[in-house]
Amino acid sequence: MIKKGFNKANIYEDLTWLIKSIDDKTIEKRPCIFLSHKREDKPACKKIANYLKDAGIDYYLDEDDKELQLATTNNDPEKITSSIKKGIKKSTHMLVVISEKTYKSQWVPFEVGYGHAAILDKYDTQNNENKIRLGILTLKDLSEKKLPDYLQVGYLIRGIKSINKYISEISAESENRMIKETRIFSNTKLYHPLDNVLNYKL
């Protein structure tokens, strides 16, 4: 039976992950993706998170981080920063979800900068295999546009075909096998779960 991914921002899912990883060491070795995004892109981000979850990949989506939500409500930059850092440190990868709205974000550039230090530097290598640890995913409204320089240093994901390849690479599993097991879906599938979020052919 294929195990679904956990949202490590959710205290109960994080605890379940910890308990299950004691008996099953494969869970411990799974990638965990920190989803960096602008608040207005949350609906799209949730669809991406669900797609990762079904693929058996763990992730960190701030919506379920009660500490962070409280800090945001209280407009407490120090606690917001601390919560973001904690989420990034729990992760092995970062996926920056980019739209037109991201250019006005105060927090996404901080998360990308901190992600470099906490994730990329942690897995420092002499070749390009490290680049995939910082994924840059463009939503439909930016699928053809040039990105700012600070976002061109990561692994660029533009479209459904591209995100399937990314999932296959970070999980070290065959894309065809994952499609066959219906953990991910081909970009040619009618009514793909990410149809309204990403371009199907890229």
Side-chain angles (χ1 to χ4, degrees):
M1 183 179 161
I2 304 300
K3 298 171 188 74
K4 294 204 173 192
F6 295 99
N7 182 4
K8 289 194 171 183
N10 181 305
I11 192 166
Y12 302 108
E13 287 198 36
D14 197 26
L15 186 60
T16 304
W17 178 92
L18 189 62
I19 292 165
K20 286 183 179 290
S21 68
I22 293 167
D23 294 327
D24 186 349
K25 294 301 173 190
T26 61
I27 289 176
E28 206 172 51
K29 293 175 184 174
R30 291 193 314 203
C32 178
I33 300 174
F34 182 92
L35 288 158
S36 173
H37 62 287
K38 187 87 167 69
R39 187 183 299 174
E40 289 85 348
D41 291 322
K42 185 83 67 190
C45 214
K46 282 166 78 172
K47 287 184 179 181
I48 293 160
N50 285 333
Y51 197 67
L52 296 171
K53 185 183 191 89
D54 288 342
I57 292 173
D58 300 323
Y59 60 96
Y60 182 97
L61 181 60
D62 63 3
E63 182 179 61
D64 286 336
D65 185 334
K66 301 300 179 193
E67 203 174 288
L68 177 56
Q69 295 309 315
L70 183 62
T72 303
T73 302
N74 294 337
N75 198 20
D76 186 337
E78 196 172 311
K79 286 190 177 171
I80 292 171
T81 302
S82 172
S83 294
I84 289 170
K85 284 181 176 181
K86 200 190 312 181
I88 292 172
K89 283 177 183 173
K90 283 186 177 186
S91 307
T92 58
H93 294 72
M94 176 180 281
L95 187 59
V96 189
V97 179
I98 304 292
S99 74
E100 289 280 7
K101 304 172 196 82
T102 312
Y103 298 114
K104 296 172 185 172
S105 173
Q106 295 178 334
W107 289 107
V108 170
F110 166 75
E111 290 170 354
V112 172
Y114 190 78
H116 263 280
I119 295 175
L120 269 70
D121 291 353
K122 181 178 173 184
Y123 299 96
D124 191 23
T125 60
Q126 299 303 312
N127 54 40
N128 278 337
E129 71 181 45
N130 213 12
K131 191 176 182 182
I132 200 168
R133 291 192 184 273
L134 178 65
I136 311 297
L137 184 148
T138 58
L139 297 182
K140 265 192 172 178
D141 65 344
L142 273 185
S143 59
E144 306 287 349
K145 295 183 182 174
K146 190 172 188 283
L147 299 174
D149 290 346
Y150 86 97
L151 290 173
Q152 291 188 35
V153 297
Y155 180 92
L156 193 57
I157 302 163
R158 294 189 188 268
I160 292 169
K161 192 173 181 182
S162 190
I163 197 171
N164 283 349
K165 184 182 175 199
Y166 168 78
I167 288 170
S168 170
E169 287 193 28
I170 67 166
S171 63
E173 293 190 58
S174 157
E175 185 179 336
N176 287 337
R177 181 182 167 188
M178 293 177 88
I179 290 170
K180 197 173 182 181
E181 293 172 345
T182 63
R183 293 163 62 197
I184 60 175
F185 297 98
S186 166
N187 62 303
T188 58
K189 175 181 167 60
L190 205 59
Y191 309 118
H192 194 282
L194 298 179
D195 270 344
N196 297 323
V197 177
L198 306 177
N199 279 355
Y200 76 93
K201 59 186 175 181
L202 298 173

